[in-house]
Amino acid sequence: MPVEILMPALSPTMEEGTLAKWLVKEGDTVSSGDLMAEIETDKATMEFEAVDEGVIGKILVAEGTEGVAVNSPIAILLAEGETADDIGSTAAKSAPSATDTGGDVAPSGAADAVAPPAPTASAAADGTRVFASPLARRIAADKGLDLSQIQGSGPRGRIVKADVINATASPAKTAPAAVAPVAAAASVAAAPAGPSTDVVLKMYADRPYEEIKLDGMRKTIAARLTEAKQTIPHFYLRRDIKLDALLKFRSTLNKQLEARGVKLSVNDFIIKACALALQQVPAANAVWAGDRMLQLKPSDVAVAVAIEGGLFTPVLRDAEMKSLSALSAEMKDLAGRARDKKLAPSEYQGGTFAISNLGMFGIDNFDAVINPPHGAILAVGAGAKKPVVGEDGELAVATVMSVTLSVDHRVIDGALGAELLRAIVENLENPIGMLA
């Protein structure tokens, strides 16, 4: 019976890949160990090889095809004596019902993606048929392993190379109790994020309380933050920033701007510093868009504004182009209308980056939750007098502000995030340069 060659899973998290190149063509004879194709994953291009011999009867997926799902048929292998006429609907019926976890992976990183026909099975001592790839059988023989004692992870429970490599000599059959922790873990993973409403009401039935109904804003905040923490791979970068030069410069500017009724805040400088940093590190000025990233040209910076019952994140668009006084005036207007809930959707949607400043509440440092689809958010703590070691090695006192950059690892890798945070720090510690 013709056998379907399946798209292999070349990593534990791989769900699809690109069939970059076929190394065989229809009519070619392949043997165990022959390289068959090159597969591109999100990390690298890897080769995979056959474990059964036969003839490539039909190639189902063309070179360069993207988004090929793991375990989907990519070609059909014919056994000795079979011809292309035998393919028909028979091959479709041979599709495996079990999940192929990647097959036999050769030392070069190649994977076995060929589902073996039934005749390759042998019998265990109790008469049970054991299905295993030829490569797995050879390795088992070399290691002195009993194949009947190994649990297969390939199609139809077939034993593949990885199963044999991970097995120990003559392991005992798995007892039901051994799988209980796995089942328990799966149950926990599938459990809801918290107890149900009925359970909570019963829990506090004997305690006085006031029930507060959720409005649309709180429901939205709860849903978006839950989504963010469950689906965004956050990582965090922390830095201390010396503010003395900025505070001195701000004081000088405010004296000059006093006649115009402008008073700059430290937050205005932070907005400007972040906007410029996104221009200095353009690869970090990006958002996650499901199956792609969008790298924006302008610096559209969102700033969290606390309001009664929740928060808004109005967006200052083209912030890198605006003066400190313009940013200050726009931020005051947006914050005022946010508190009155008079912002238009276009004024709080979008942006690539956000700032959340709790320093005004005396918070030293904290970790902010990314607002999707943003690539990062900067959490700003309070500036405080702290002892520091100067460049001359002498102990001194400086005003230091702690910041934490929460980063979406899908959009920004560690080194890129560190480069972005360094640019923000340098802008704030050298404020005059932001006016250039």
Side-chain angles (χ1 to χ4, degrees):
M1 178 185 294
V3 176
E4 290 182 344
I5 301 173
L6 306 179
M7 181 68 166
L10 301 180
S11 72
T13 59
M14 179 179 168
E15 296 181 356
E16 60 181 31
T18 298
L19 206 159
K21 183 179 181 180
W22 277 108
L23 303 177
V24 296
K25 61 182 183 296
E26 291 181 2
D28 283 357
T29 299
V30 296
S31 300
S32 177
D34 288 350
L35 296 179
M36 299 182 65
E38 295 179 355
I39 304 294
E40 289 183 7
T41 69
D42 57 342
K43 296 293 185 183
T45 299
M46 304 176 71
E47 299 171 326
F48 79 99
E49 63 184 39
V51 294
D52 292 312
E53 62 182 27
V55 176
I56 302 299
K58 187 175 182 60
I59 289 178
L60 303 176
V61 177
E63 286 188 358
T65 302
E66 300 179 354
V68 183
V70 167
N71 298 327
S72 61
I74 58 176
I76 295 177
L77 186 71
L78 301 175
E80 183 178 355
E82 294 178 334
T83 67
D85 294 335
D86 296 316
I87 297 176
S89 60
T90 305
K93 294 179 181 179
S94 69
S97 59
T99 300
D100 180 2
T101 60
D104 292 342
V105 180
S108 64
D112 156 30
V114 181
T120 62
S122 60
D126 60 0
T128 304
R129 297 211 305 173
V130 177
F131 292 87
S133 71
L135 184 57
R137 293 179 185 280
R138 288 199 300 271
I139 297 174
D142 292 341
K143 296 179 66 175
L145 299 177
D146 180 359
L147 285 174
S148 67
Q149 302 298 308
I150 299 176
Q151 179 67 43
S153 62
R156 296 192 292 270
R158 179 186 56 158
I159 299 169
V160 295
K161 176 184 175 184
D163 302 324
V164 180
I165 290 177
N166 294 329
T168 56
S170 301
K173 290 187 177 180
T174 305
V179 300
V182 177
S187 177
V188 171
S196 67
T197 300
D198 289 343
V199 170
V200 175
L201 290 176
K202 290 178 181 178
M203 190 181 302
Y204 294 96
D206 62 342
R207 307 303 299 159
Y209 63 80
E210 176 187 358
E211 186 171 306
I212 301 173
K213 298 296 183 182
L214 300 180
D215 59 16
M217 175 180 291
R218 181 49 57 183
K219 288 180 180 178
T220 299
I221 290 173
R224 286 180 64 82
L225 293 183
T226 299
E227 173 196 357
K229 289 298 285 186
Q230 288 182 343
T231 64
I232 296 177
H234 287 63
F235 71 93
Y236 306 93
L237 302 172
R238 312 179 198 282
R239 287 286 299 268
D240 285 339
I241 302 174
K242 297 177 183 177
L243 291 180
D244 296 278
L246 186 151
L247 294 176
K248 184 177 180 180
F249 183 54
R250 169 176 172 261
S251 178
T252 300
L253 285 180
N254 279 340
K255 288 179 181 178
Q256 296 174 355
L257 296 171
E258 188 175 359
R260 293 166 46 189
V262 176
K263 185 175 182 180
L264 303 175
S265 68
V266 172
N267 211 48
D268 298 329
F269 284 86
I270 294 172
I271 295 169
K272 182 70 172 181
C274 292
L276 292 175
L278 291 171
Q279 296 296 308
Q280 294 159 351
V281 189
N285 190 21
V287 298
W288 183 253
D291 62 350
R292 68 200 68 185
M293 295 189 300
L294 305 181
Q295 186 173 317
L296 271 65
K297 302 295 185 183
S299 294
D300 295 345
V301 179
V303 180
V305 175
I307 66 171
E308 184 177 355
L311 59 85
F312 271 107
T313 52
V315 179
L316 296 123
R317 302 182 187 277
D318 303 299
E320 81 283 4
M321 303 292 292
K322 297 173 180 175
S323 66
L324 284 163
S325 58
L327 288 172
S328 180
E330 184 176 355
M331 190 65 238
K332 286 182 174 66
D333 172 62
L334 289 170
R337 290 191 291 116
R339 295 186 183 98
D340 293 334
K341 298 185 179 180
K342 293 182 179 180
L343 289 178
S346 61
E347 293 177 306
Y348 60 80
Q349 293 178 350
T352 63
F353 184 93
I355 298 168
S356 180
N357 190 341
L358 294 181
M360 61 193 73
F361 298 102
I363 301 301
D364 290 331
N365 56 72
F366 66 103
D367 298 342
V369 180
I370 296 170
N371 183 27
H374 293 172
I377 182 171
L378 186 72
V380 181
K385 295 286 187 182
K386 294 182 180 180
V388 298
V389 178
E391 294 182 359
D392 57 0
E394 295 294 324
L395 190 64
V397 176
T399 302
V400 178
M401 178 177 71
S402 176
V403 298
T404 301
L405 186 67
S406 302
V407 187
D408 183 343
H409 213 322
R410 299 172 302 178
V411 182
I412 302 172
D413 291 329
L416 184 61
E419 187 179 354
L420 176 64
L421 184 53
R422 180 176 62 186
I424 295 171
V425 172
E426 290 177 351
N427 288 337
L428 288 172
E429 292 189 342
N430 301 278
I432 295 178
M434 290 195 286
L435 300 185

